[in-house]
Amino acid sequence: MTIGLQSSSVFRCGRFSLELGRRTLIMGILNLTPDSFSGDGIDGDPARAVERANELVAAGADILDIGGESTRPGSAVIDADLELRRVMPVIERLGDLPVPISVDTRRVAVARSALAAGAAIINDVTGLGEGPPLASLIAGSGAGVVLMHMQGTPQDMQRDPHYEDVVGEVATFLAARARAACQAGMAPDRIVLDPGIGFGKTAEHNLALLAHLDALKELGYPVLVGTSRKSFIGQITGQQVGSRVAGSLASVALAVARGADIVRVHDVHETRQAVAIADAIVREAR
Ligand code: HH2
């Protein structure tokens, strides 16, 4: 089932062209929040956030993903003004970063300001679910987009996630969102798809998606996977959120083996080593 254009070997976003296929790209997470699930958030200290951004890039991040609103299960909804106050001072200070800045937002107002300040990717956990204005804005800006699947909202998504066929339903949703993005004027080589690990999914749903990532790859777009420190890793290993690096690395290595192009992680230094090994084994063999 190939629906989109077969992804070219490049993900284009703003002024950047990221080569895909030769090695796995790492998206390093920079949360500017007081309540992110893994406790990594830096809130109200732009200087420290810039320092952290540079550390992530020095450790090997190919993309920096900046978030001003936690989307963990049960998180508080914040308004656009607060999200802007959290992210803009940092984005504005990172103008000369050598890697693309991605902004993890679903709001048009935040995306507009971030793109104007130089962000190259909008990472939308609702898969452009807030409607056409965001799609047109991104298309007109030349930025890239990450379209993620979520069942429900962060406030209710973990209450009782249910699917008849999680892989098929997620693939159908992402194909439709990619089609909508193209209809809004997005070029296919600026689109990345993401199954949304942990967003309205039980551990079994997450594992099924990771085991069948090839079904998402068949849609013809690059695939991003975000397993880092998430609760299914805690459920399997019994580890608290601060001790899930090893489990996260195992999930990353197997996601790469199943075709992931980009992995979104907190622990960039460790992930760099894991994907170097995974790439050496699987990309050589492909
Ligand atoms: N996961 C989180 C947030 N944004 N975006 C994409 N595309 N894929 C993901 O898997 C994803 C995401 C949750 O992680 P984190 O940002 O660390 O937590 P919080 O939302 O609590 O800030």
Side-chain angles (χ1 to χ4, degrees):
M1 173 174 65
T2 298
I3 292 176
L5 291 182
Q6 183 55 43
S7 64
S8 67
S9 57
V10 162
F11 170 44
R12 293 194 302 134
C13 47
R15 63 190 169 87
F16 295 89
S17 285
L18 304 181
E19 188 184 354
L20 300 168
R22 203 171 49 83
R23 65 177 181 83
T24 306
L25 300 183
I26 297 180
M27 175 185 262
I29 302 170
L30 180 62
N31 282 320
L32 306 177
T33 51
D35 56 346
S36 284
F37 83 92
S38 83
D40 65 325
I42 298 170
D43 185 26
D45 188 351
R48 172 69 197 116
V50 167
E51 201 180 19
R52 176 83 185 128
N54 287 312
E55 286 165 11
L56 290 169
V57 173
D62 299 289
I63 302 170
L64 183 73
D65 189 42
I66 298 181
E69 181 187 41
S70 171
T71 48
R72 72 180 158 74
S75 55
V77 178
I78 62 166
D79 63 25
D81 283 347
L82 178 55
E83 193 180 343
L84 281 165
R85 283 201 301 280
R86 287 179 180 169
V87 300
M88 290 313 297
V90 179
I91 297 171
E92 281 160 0
R93 284 172 169 81
L94 288 174
D96 54 359
L97 205 71
V99 305
I101 294 176
S102 160
V103 180
D104 188 344
T105 190
R106 59 195 165 87
R107 295 195 173 86
V108 183
V110 176
R112 184 177 295 113
S113 297
L115 292 170
I121 300 170
I122 299 300
N123 171 23
D124 183 0
V125 296
T126 72
L128 298 176
E130 306 266 314
L134 183 54
S136 312
L137 172 74
I138 302 169
S141 74
V145 70
V146 179
L147 302 173
M148 200 196 79
H149 173 274
M150 166 164 45
Q151 186 180 83
T153 66
Q155 289 64 51
D156 64 15
M157 65 188 180
Q158 291 308 108
R159 269 185 212 146
D160 186 22
H162 179 79
Y163 301 84
E164 296 298 325
D165 164 17
V166 66
V167 177
E169 287 168 50
V170 169
T172 301
F173 171 89
L174 291 175
R177 300 321 300 167
R179 244 186 336 263
C182 291
Q183 277 158 9
M186 292 279 321
D189 61 0
R190 293 180 187 272
I191 297 173
V192 169
L193 304 181
D194 180 344
I197 299 299
F199 285 83
K201 286 148 193 122
T202 62
E204 288 69 27
H205 296 142
N206 294 324
L207 295 172
L209 285 162
L210 290 168
H212 299 285
L213 217 52
D214 45 336
L216 301 186
K217 287 287 288 182
E218 283 176 19
L219 299 177
Y221 293 93
V223 170
L224 183 152
V225 174
T227 54
S228 187
R229 303 184 187 175
K230 284 189 177 164
S231 67
F232 81 100
I233 292 174
Q235 284 173 41
I236 294 170
T237 61
Q239 296 298 316
Q240 295 302 311
V241 70
S243 307
R244 294 180 188 160
V245 181
S248 301
L249 296 178
S251 69
V252 159
L254 289 177
V256 170
R258 294 280 195 275
D261 296 285
I262 307 173
V263 291
R264 181 182 182 278
V265 301
H266 303 89
D267 304 290
V268 171
H269 174 76
E270 294 82 352
T271 304
R272 184 87 272 163
Q273 297 173 43
V275 299
I277 300 300
D279 285 345
I281 296 168
V282 303
R283 296 199 189 275
E284 186 59 30
R286 258 180 214 147

